[in-house]
Every structure is written in C-alpha cells, then in structure tokens.
C-alpha cells in the first residue's frame, strides 16, 4: 500500500538492549524525519534526512543513530536503550524541493517501552 | 531559533459550543509556514491546514476556521459548534525559510475534550 509505514507498532525492551525502529515510505519523498512524542513536550525532532546518505541532528539526537541507504527507508536505532527513551516515535516524510511547500506526512507511530 | 507556544494545555467544552485554540509563534524569518495537525485518540497525526507568511487571509473549512495575524504572531484555530469527534490533541507547528522549510517546530499541543 502507498504511504508511510512504521514497524513494529509496539515494542517492549529492556535497558541496555539495541532496538531498531523501521520506517518506509512509498512516495519517493526526499526528506524523512524521526520525532518522539512525550507528555508535556509535544513532538520533538530526533533526526532527519534530506536524501539518501544525508542525515542531520534534530533537537534531541543523543542516544539515537540513523542511516539512510535507500530513499524509501529511514531506520532509527537505539544502541543501548534507556528508560528515558520510552516514548511514542513518529516517522514522517516530506517531498521537499523547489516550488510550493508541502506538509509532512506522518506514519502511525511506534510505542516503545523500555523496562 | 523558532518557537511555538500553545498556552492552553487542555480545554473542555460541551458539544455545540465554539472553541478557539491559541497558537503563538516566534521566528526571525520573514518567510515561513504555519500548520495545524490533529491527533485523535487513535494516535495518528492528521494534517489540517498550511498557511504561508504572505497570506493573512482567514481560512474557513466547514466548522473549522483559522485566524492568522502577523501583527500578534498568532495563528488561532476555531471550531464552531464542536462535536464529540473533535476531541483530540491539536498541534500548531512552524517551518521557516531559514531551515530550508525542511523541519517543523511543534507546540506542545492542546488537548480538546468535547463532552456530549
């Protein structure tokens, strides 16, 4: 199906374990983003990517690693999960480029619990 | 740096009441875009509207209307005759030319509860 998908939708892990959250979009959008949503903080940008092999830090990048070898995929890895990384994670994509601006489209979210 | 403030953390209304959600933004850029997103209890984020900094016309879409005022750096959202299905968290967001329009800065959201 066309759109933006995230997997898994729910994940429970333990402190210190490595976790990878997957994001896939079928629009060939240039830009992809990872946000985390926490009560009282709204959505905060973790990392984003303007194109394959180009990534940049957002507001809260510490403890996270991203890669983008293909335009359609943008995995987010927590190398050693901590309880403070318990959150809902949203992936988004955006066409970018010149001309009229388009809104970001969001995936359904991944609820991650770190015990 | 940019900032979006949604001072109302939670609003409760009774069905059919009108409600306004406030959004105040800060940016030094003269060219920017403002957005509203809705997050219903199911959790997904739904795009509602985009407005660029050169277009101060108010927008109306059914029961929804938006009031953009550059003089007060505000982009307020009004729901007329609210319904239970309007219950959600609403986020205001800002994207600026300085960031290449590539990133969004979100407010912390306003939770709207509409009771029957």
């Amino acid at each position: 199906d066309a759109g933006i998908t995230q997997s898994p939708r729910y994940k429970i892990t333990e402190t210190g374990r490595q976790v990878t959250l997957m994001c896939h979009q079928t629009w060939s959008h240039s830009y992809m983003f990872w946000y985390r949503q926490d009560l009282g903080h709204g959505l905060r940008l973790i990392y984003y990517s303007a194109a394959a092999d180009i990534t940049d830090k957002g507001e809260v990048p510490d403890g996270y690693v991203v890669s983008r070898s293909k335009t359609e995929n943008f995995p987010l890895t927590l190398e050693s999960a901590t309880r403070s990384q318990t959150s809902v994670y949203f992936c988004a994509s955006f066409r970018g480029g010149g001309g009229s601006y388009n809104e970001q489209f969001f995936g359904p979210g991944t609820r991650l619990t770190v015990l | 740096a940019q900032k979006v403030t949604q001072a109302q953390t939670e609003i409760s209304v009774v069905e059919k009441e009108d409600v306004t959600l406030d959004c105040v933004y800060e940016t030094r850029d003269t060219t920017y875009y403002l957005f509203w997103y809705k997050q219903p209890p199911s959790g997904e984020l739904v795009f509602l509207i985009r407005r660029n900094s050169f277009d101060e016309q108010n927008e109306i879409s059914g029961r929804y209307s938006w009031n953009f005022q550059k003089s007060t750096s505000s982009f307020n959202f009004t729901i007329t005759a609210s319904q239970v299905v309007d219950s959600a968290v609403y986020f205001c967001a800002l994207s600026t030319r300085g960031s290449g329009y590539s990133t969004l800065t979100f407010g912390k959201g306003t939770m709207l509860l509409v009771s029957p």
Side-chain angles (χ1 to χ4, degrees), chain A residues 34-105:
Chain A
W34 276 106
Y35 295 88
R36 60 178 289 174
Q37 182 178 17
D38 305 288
L39 202 62
H41 291 280
L43 285 97
R44 294 180 292 174
L45 182 64
I46 304 171
Y47 269 97
Y48 68 102
S49 168
D53 297 322
I54 301 175
T55 62
D56 211 344
K57 294 178 181 179
E59 182 185 352
V60 288
D62 294 342
Y64 302 95
V65 174
V66 294
S67 62
R68 193 161 176 214
S69 57
K70 292 184 178 181
T71 300
E72 61 267 29
N73 297 324
F74 191 38
L76 176 75
T77 298
L78 290 66
E79 292 193 307
S80 179
T82 64
R83 290 195 180 121
S84 65
Q85 293 177 309
T86 293
S87 186
V88 179
Y89 291 85
F90 285 96
C91 179
S93 72
F94 158 56
R95 190 182 73 191
S100 63
Y101 182 81
N102 291 278
E103 65 274 12
Q104 291 186 18
F105 294 90

Side-chain angles (χ1 to χ4, degrees), chain B residues 70-87:
Chain B
K70 288 178 75 170
S71 60
T72 56
S73 296
S74 64
F75 186 43
N76 297 336
F77 173 30
T78 297
I79 301 174
T80 303
S82 59
Q83 299 177 1
V84 173
V85 293
D86 296 326
S87 296

Side-chain angles (χ1 to χ4, degrees), chain B residues 41-52:
Chain B
S42 52
E44 72 272 22
L45 282 153
V46 179
F47 165 77
L48 294 178
I49 190 171
R50 172 183 70 247
R51 172 69 70 218
N52 75 52

